[in-house]
Amino acid sequence: MIRIGALALGFFFFATVIFWSFIPGAYTHFFGEHPPKAAEKVFHLEPKDVSFSFDGPFGSWDAQQLQRGLKVYKETCAACHSLEQVSFRSLSEIGYTEAEVKAIAAEFTVPGVNPDTGEAEGRPGLPTDKFPSPYANDIAAAAANNNAIPPDLSLMPKARKGGAPYIYSLLTGYQDPPAELLQKYPEAKPGPGLNYNPYFKNLNIAMVAPLTVDGQVTYDDGTEATVDQMAKDVSAFLSWTAEPTMIERKRTGFWWIGFLIFATILAYLSKKQVWSSIKGKD
Amino acid sequence: MSFPWAKQYEPANDFTKFLDEKLPLPRFVYNAVGAGYPVPRNLNYFWNFGVLAGFCLVLQIITGVVLAMHYAADATVAFDKVEHIMRDVNYGWLMRYAHANGASFFFMVIYLHIFRGFFYSSYKAPREMIWLLGVTIFLLMMATAFMGYVLPWGQMSFWGAKVITGLFGAIPLVGEPLQIWLLGGYAPDDAALNRFFSLHFLLPFVIAGVVILHIWALHIPGSSNPTGVEIKSESDTVPFHPYYTAKDGFGLGVFLILFSIVVFYLPTMLGHAENYIPANPLSTPALIVPEWYFYPFYAILRAFTIDVTIPFTGIVLIKAQLLGVIAMFASILIWFFLPWLDKSPVRSGHYRPLFRKFFYVFLLCMAILFVCGGAPAYEPYIMLSQIATAYYFLHFLVILPIVSSIEQPKELPFSITEAVLGKDDKSVLDKPAAAKA
Ligand code: HEM
């Protein structure tokens, strides 16, 4: 009897899970309404399918692309966003010479003091400095951007679920709100200073489309600077700033795991050898 | 306890003879994990996880000590310090990813270790003390991991700390002062971060101490085994070295491969993206959840949504939140009573047909709690976690005692040897076997 009870109960749990996981909306029938579907649930889009040279276990940086991405960052994004974790010095890792690093650093103004009067004033950046924020503080940043603070971009691909493809999609995802949205959810209409972007979590982002026209940046390597290309390049660059050690990690892992597999095979053989003198299962 | 047939340590040369007289460390090791420790010959791979847990602890301590050299527990710089480790410290990324994912793998290993105990009733006499110490280790691990997760001072660090310490606020009368005392303030800040770091550094060494007691207690009755039949003669055992050193070595290799795949190729898979955003007390994340290894207990915590009131008066006796807190702690404390809740004289689930069925239902119940713990708090997750929470307590408090008294266990083999070889001609029980098997 109890066995039957146990089976029934087990089956009940099993069936419940299966039922809920495979039949969308089935549960509302029993347990009342799901929270009302907000506009962002319906119109939000997952990041586009885009691939990068550093994807996968054998990926590597494309130094040309990272340099193009840096240029996009410098000439557009840096007007609003900092890269507070990234020092100019580290740009040598993506192929810049010491002199070039110095020149890039000097293009930025970082907080400093006047050596004569001791008063606070900006000074040109040095290789040891980090990419500064263009704003004196958060209040100034918010005031200049419709009360939204442009976040630091150093870790952006790691700080959002979709990684680099998310940033690419966000940059290329600006569009007019669909008529259907305005009809069904009039309250989801972008407010003043907000822009419709279905890749953003709540559809309305305070950042104006930063990349709008082809050729907005002039690439040094002759690559055609389409909006799509610029978005891709800057996403790649930000992936590098988020984890400059990514490729080193993957390469180290390759040799280390190779060694481990070899060692584990040996361990397995020696275990077999040791146990072969014992009868029966081990 | 050592069995009478255990091999004796013999110092090989003058130096080891000298050592054996003054400080018999080699003898100690020989008797603990060497040829002098007889172990059941039929242990399966579920018996690998104890050694693996020990490995994880050592790994956490080594990587943790290195991280601590470069970290600073100051709310204004903690986040940047962790990024400094990732970028500027030689192999800092490896230390950090190994430490963060090491915590996850530690919990995976410990869960398998604990569920091995559930299935084979390893908690039963004469091994109650091992079990009690084990549950203590698990509680210490939870505290350690919780405080460790606060250290990088990202959004989840901050809000996780806030939610969990907020639970203490649910305790009547002393709740709020207690919460302020724990945090050193009204919300997590420098004071909390510093004490969490201090305790996060300390607790692993406390764990190591309890682990020593755990292993000491283990060496008194020795390991149980998949049949649950105690050792009867020498032919039931093999010396730990080389048999189980070889097997544990292989197990460690497999573990390291899986662990390394995550560390080197999927290092952020088990974490939350939000924790790469610096802590911001003014912006609440959409979904605050702990690390995955706390999900089942977090689900139990959130399963209580209705205050207990005196009917028709609206007077609240116990707040729902308090009930949740009590249930969450109770769900683990209940494990302390397990040796006395399960009264069946048979240990192994293989010989307990009825128990085994309920064991699988229990696994399913844990799986449901796991899913619900990581899910947002709306239907069907609330309802599911309520059912599963109810079943969780039912399992330990009602089902186990009843099953263990009514079930008809299957016939047990005479000995481990018989279970392995099909026959055992030594039915003389307590006479130490003279000849080698
Ligand atoms: C029982 C063993 C341990 C467990 C379960 C554990 C768990 C954790 C966890 C979950 C984190 C957060 C990781 C992250 O998100 O980055 C962490 C961070 C940290 N732990 Fe541990 N830990 C243990 C032992 C130690 C030891 C022994 C030390 C130092 C002596 C230590 C030092 C640190 C430091 C400095 C951090 C912050 C750096 C970082 O976030 O990567 N841990 N720990």
Side-chain angles (χ1 to χ4, degrees), chain B residues 60-61 64-65 68 96 99-100 103 148-149 151-152 197 200-201 204 207 293:
Chain B
Q60 289 306 93
I61 290 183
V65 168
R96 166 143 200 261
H99 194 78
Y149 193 61
L151 301 185
F197 182 42
H200 183 72
F201 205 131
I207 294 176
Y293 36 80

Side-chain angles (χ1 to χ4, degrees), chain A residues 2-3 6 9-10 13-14 17 20 27 31 34-35 57 85-86 155 158-160 241-245 248-250 253-254 256-257 260-261 264 267-268 271 274-275 277-282, chain B residues 41 43 45 79-80 83 86-87 93 97 238 242-244 246-247 250 253-254 256-257 260-261 263-265 267-268 273 276-277 354 358 361 364 368 378-380 383-384 387 391 406 420-421:
Chain A
I2 292 228
R3 277 179 204 204
L9 203 57
F13 275 96
F14 184 68
V17 172
W20 276 314
Y27 50 81
F31 302 123
H34 197 274
Q85 307 290 350
V86 186
L155 284 160
K158 276 170 107 178
R160 296 291 181 275
T241 65
E243 199 180 351
T245 53
E248 182 193 357
R249 156 162 73 73
K250 290 179 180 176
F254 179 76
W256 167 241
I257 291 172
L260 278 181
I261 290 173
T264 305
Y268 176 71
K271 186 229 145 206
V274 165
W275 281 85
S277 56
I278 295 280
K279 267 209 264 164
K281 73 175 213 281
D282 51 7
Chain B
R41 63 190 286 174
L43 301 185
Y45 277 102
F79 186 89
D80 296 342
E83 275 311 309
M86 293 294 290
R87 288 155 198 268
W93 55 269
Y97 280 154
V238 291
Y243 291 95
Y244 285 105
K247 194 169 175 176
F250 171 55
V254 173
L256 278 177
I257 292 174
S260 302
I261 289 174
V263 167
F264 289 98
Y265 294 103
T268 52
Y276 281 99
I277 305 171
L354 188 55
F358 281 107
V361 180
L364 185 65
I368 294 173
Y378 51 67
E379 299 299 2
M383 180 61 126
L384 270 178
I387 297 173
Y391 185 80
I406 66 164
V420 177
L421 299 180

